[in-house]
């Protein structure tokens, strides 16, 4: 705890120093405070400030630091931060970033804001960004950068070496790329390995040492790109458009970042958080987004509760049932959620596809039968001993057993069916599952109790 | 649907062909069927087989293909597949893999199985694996590979170029690494950039062109490694032991894979799936693991339900309350889970730390007040209109409003507190949250109803 208190004190000191420097409009001091921190810590400090202070800070610090903060921020936050800058400043900051990051930020903006910034940018660069921003997220076009380490097919090894040896700032943007060779139409015809580059004569033609490149098209999906980088040690893959012209390179890093982002956004959606919420966003936005999801959920809850309402007479006769209704629905919901979790994981690993629904169901129902019986016996004994009524134990136990089997069946299969009909399994599986298992749980408990009424009242 | 049916038919054909080849013990045919597939698809095909068929297949196919399948499989599955091989075969297959993957697999095995395999391996390689397997997961030691592209400090540029140009199979294992220079004690003293390598004379000493390397120690955490790769374009970072001796290299890919794995395992834990469940695992194991989590949950559910039990008289007097009890607890649970989701995300982005609990609570309670009031009014009106009782509407609405505020407070802060006391926030936040919001929800509805009884019965 002492350590934590110390960290806390040191941090408060830092935040205060940043505030003071901001108050004094001391750009140098701000840079000296923020630049040595890892980007994630610098961003955390910036997000601790009020929105207004944030805006002033991003306008004051050097464009390189502002660009690093924008790049580190999750995309929606980055868009917000850039939109709030003056277009001229925003253009300067964006020009520090790679084209794929530029396109991600510009692509999410209101068209008006985007155009205001683009018109301040270098014309060629703006054209590049416009082109990249038009590609779909999650495709090679949406992930690629337009900076390509390319050479015409008449170039020699020496030309490449001169480029590497030069202090041309652009070379840093090609980091990790191998030289690609293009024909006069711009089609990629070869790629040169480091090994052959190091061992060839300087006067040798690139065409004499190049090998045929593996290429993807602008609409190649993230899944296919994952497979390619899994199987090959490449750091980047060249991307061609419909006409076969080389238009960009997708890097291994861009693909693994996109996979991580997809996984985290799915995980959030499963918790009912739609969009990219961070607590530094405006209150009304956070509140409205969460409410939208909750309001849909309330409707589903009312539908489920109407089952209870239909059996009020049974409930009135055996009030102890009310104690177990939430338990049965909650426990089945948990079992079903486990099944959803495993299916989502197998989907993301590529181990199941929508066509495997039946096979998945067979695997799930086996677990469901075992766990249903085990949990049913457990809760049945609890109900019996607690309320001293064996018939109550039988009703509750049987209801939980059956509802567990139903829940794992639905939980295992629903994500696959949603995917099959083109819906998002991460966002919709949970609410769908819970509504069905709630309704079925209430119905099973109350209808079994109605059937068993003579024994329950004995 | 027609497309899907076609895929299905083609796939069934493939599975059948694999089974036939396996029956005929036709290793060449198996290789011809599986090798052209992306690894994830090949693995999916293998996992479709029974455990016994899987074992036979992995023994029949070439070691390279078996090694690729092992590498593609999630770790727990890989361990299981290797454990079931004959030690001699297992050693051959493992020797195809990089040392970091070897250590991940061997490190998770029973000691006896591990030793049986290690004793069949090349002695040096076995010693390497033993050393690597001893480091903790999620540290540089646990993530590094021992294959290092290293040169003594008396080496020349020419020595590096000869190594690159040679057909030495080991060179492939260094992919992406820059040459590291070590002193006679094995301490890293420099790293050589590609640019200077290409432009220096062959006779130049490496020490004359090297720059000081950034190094990490074996116990550097994943979080710090993430920051380093975020900030530098390096493909790998050299790792030193306590004595400052160079012992391995952590690659960018190993770090991004580990981050993805952590994110996915957290997301699974939040759904109540502990461990690395895949449906190809044995039924009893899957069932037992899920049950362990569910049984703990049933205890928490009984605790929450005891609140209802304490108010059976109130319930008996106003049976309509039973309709709304699950709604209030479920809706608050959802609100709380949204807060958990956002906190977990901010934790993984490094934007909040345990010391920020109070700041997080302030942000959450603001959303909680708005959403609590909105949802309370909504459900209050539903209850009033449905049951024709304005007092019932007031009780339910007020209970949901208060419980929503409580739920977001707990949901936002609990992951931070769990982390502060060294517990795993992903696994424990959900059940803890649900139990508290269930209890509080039941208590609020039933105690408010008891207070308002005269108006409820009017």
């Amino acid at each position: 705890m002492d350590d934590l208190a110390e960290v806390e004190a040191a941090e408060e000191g830092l935040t205060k120093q940043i505030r003071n420097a901001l108050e004094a409009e001391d750009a140098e001091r701000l840079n000296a405070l923020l630049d040595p921190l890892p980007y994630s810590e610098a961003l955390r400090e910036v997000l601790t400030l009020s929105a207004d202070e944030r805006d002033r800070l991003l306008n004051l610090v050097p464009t390189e630091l502002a660009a690093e903060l924008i790049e580190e921020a999750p995309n929606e936050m980055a868009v917000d931060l850039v939109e709030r800058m003056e277009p001229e400043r925003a253009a300067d900051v964006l020009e520090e970033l790679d084209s794929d990051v530029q396109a991600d930020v510009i692509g999410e903006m209101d068209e008006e804001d985007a155009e205001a910034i683009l018109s301040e940018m270098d014309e060629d660069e703006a054209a590049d960004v416009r082109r990249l921003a038009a590609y779909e997220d999650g495709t090679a076009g949406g992930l690629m950068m337009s900076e390509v380490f390319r050479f015409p097919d008449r170039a020699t090894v020496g030309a490449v070496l001169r480029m590497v040896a030069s202090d041309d700032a652009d070379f840093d943007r090609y980091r990790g790329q191998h030289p690609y060779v293009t024909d006069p139409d711009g089609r990629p015809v070869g790629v040169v390995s480091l090994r052959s580059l190091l061992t060839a004569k300087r006067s040798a033609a690139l065409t004499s040492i190049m090998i045929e490149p593996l290429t993807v098209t602008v609409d190649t999906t993230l899944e296919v790109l994952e497979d390619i980088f899994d199987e090959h040690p490449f750091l980047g893959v060249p991307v061609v458009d419909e006409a076969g012209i080389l238009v960009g390179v997708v890097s291994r890093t861009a693909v693994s970042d996109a996979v991580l982002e997809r996984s985290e956004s799915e995980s959030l959606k499963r918790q009912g958080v739609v969009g990219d919420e961070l607590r530094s966003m405006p209150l009304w936005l956070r509140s409205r987004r969460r409410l939208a999801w909750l309001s849909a959920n309330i409707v589903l809850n009312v539908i489920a509760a109407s089952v209870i309402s239909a059996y009020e007479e049974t409930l009135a006769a055996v009030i102890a049932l009310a104690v177990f209704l939430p338990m049965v629905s909650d426990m089945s919901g948990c079992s079903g959620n486990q099944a959803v979790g495993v299916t989502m994981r197998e989907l993301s690993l590529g181990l199941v596809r929508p066509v495997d629904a039946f096979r998945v169901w067979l695997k799930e129902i086996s677990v469901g039968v075992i766990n249903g019986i085990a949990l049913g016996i457990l809760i049945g004994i609890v109900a019996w001993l607690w309320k001293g009524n064996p018939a109550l134990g039988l009703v509750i136990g049987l209801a939980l057993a059956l509802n567990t089997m139903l829940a794992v069946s639905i939980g295992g299969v629903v994500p696959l069916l949603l995917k099959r009909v083109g819906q998002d399994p991460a966002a919709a599986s949970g609410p769908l599952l819970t509504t069905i298992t709630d309704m079925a749980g209430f119905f099973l408990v109350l209808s079994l109790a109605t059937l068993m009424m003579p024994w329950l009242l004995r």
Side-chain angles (χ1 to χ4, degrees), chain A residues 290-301:
Chain A
R290 291 202 201 173
L291 259 185
W293 189 83
L294 291 168
S295 311
N297 221 288
I298 229 172
V299 174
L300 297 176
N301 259 286

Side-chain angles (χ1 to χ4, degrees), chain A residues 387-419:
Chain A
K387 301 291 169 188
N389 188 335
L392 182 70
L394 187 64
V395 166
I396 302 297
L398 195 56
L400 181 58
L402 293 174
N403 208 32
T404 299
M405 299 175 203
L406 177 71
V408 296
S409 303
I410 293 176
V413 171
V414 148
L416 300 176
L417 299 184
L418 284 169
K419 185 139 192 177

Side-chain angles (χ1 to χ4, degrees), chain A residues 199-214:
Chain A
T199 53
K201 285 221 173 82
R202 293 190 145 236
S203 59
L206 285 181
T207 47
S208 70
I209 57 168
M210 70 188 189
I211 55 172
E212 208 181 315
L214 185 144

